Amino acid sequence: MQLNSIKPATGAKHAKRRVGRGIGSGLGKTCGRGHKGQKSRAGGFHKVGFEGGQMPLQRRLPKRGFKSLARPFVAELTLADLQKLGTDEVDLLTLKAVGLVSELVRTVKVVKSGEITRKVVVKGLGVTAGAKAAIEAAGGSVAA
């Protein structure tokens, strides 16, 4: 390969449409803009979503839902996750070190999903009533 022999891929380059160059070109006279009206004139376009004065679609439809800004800072942990975890003491730093929760997380809540049979001591995490009962039934404890 030589620098002077490099060419773009076939179909990558194509001739620009040349308007206003006579009848034979197929784009003479009105140059593909039709006759009269706003769209035929230079600078004659309206903003995106404009429907000629009719209430635009994005304003006719109802607003719905919301995204919590606290979401990246709160995490949920299941009993199944605790079962898989190798350590006996579980706190926020342990979970971050293992990679079960994101580094951004500030609060974690243990929920009753799955089963736990190991003895685990949970420290400084939120725990639902069902999850607390399951942890204590397995011989573990929950410390605030």
Side-chain angles (χ1 to χ4, degrees), residues 35-85:
H35 291 277
K36 295 188 182 174
Q38 187 178 17
K39 288 181 174 176
S40 73
R41 316 212 187 284
F45 269 92
H46 44 72
K47 63 186 175 193
V48 176
F50 184 68
E51 298 182 22
Q54 173 175 301
M55 188 63 70
L57 182 66
Q58 77 270 18
R59 290 191 58 200
R60 290 198 302 265
L61 297 176
K63 294 196 279 186
R64 185 180 154 85
F66 109 111
K67 286 197 173 154
S68 173
L69 295 175
R71 190 157 185 252
F73 307 110
V74 180
E76 225 174 54
L77 195 68
T78 63
L79 290 177
D81 291 333
L82 283 181
Q83 178 71 24
K84 284 185 229 162
L85 203 61

Side-chain angles (χ1 to χ4, degrees), residues 23-126:
I23 296 168
S25 70
L27 289 169
K29 193 182 168 224
T30 54
C31 310
R33 287 170 172 261
H35 291 277
K36 295 188 182 174
Q38 187 178 17
K39 288 181 174 176
S40 73
R41 316 212 187 284
F45 269 92
H46 44 72
K47 63 186 175 193
V48 176
F50 184 68
E51 298 182 22
Q54 173 175 301
M55 188 63 70
L57 182 66
Q58 77 270 18
R59 290 191 58 200
R60 290 198 302 265
L61 297 176
K63 294 196 279 186
R64 185 180 154 85
F66 109 111
K67 286 197 173 154
S68 173
L69 295 175
R71 190 157 185 252
F73 307 110
V74 180
E76 225 174 54
L77 195 68
T78 63
L79 290 177
D81 291 333
L82 283 181
Q83 178 71 24
K84 284 185 229 162
L85 203 61
T87 58
D88 292 334
E89 279 199 16
V90 180
D91 62 353
L92 188 58
L93 290 174
T94 311
L95 296 173
K96 285 183 180 182
V98 175
L100 268 178
V101 296
S102 160
E103 287 293 326
L104 291 174
V105 169
R106 293 192 200 129
T107 56
V108 176
K109 192 163 203 178
V110 181
V111 294
K112 187 186 175 191
S113 176
E115 291 184 9
I116 189 161
T117 53
R118 292 190 322 106
K119 181 182 173 184
V120 175
V121 178
V122 178
K123 287 185 177 176
L125 305 180

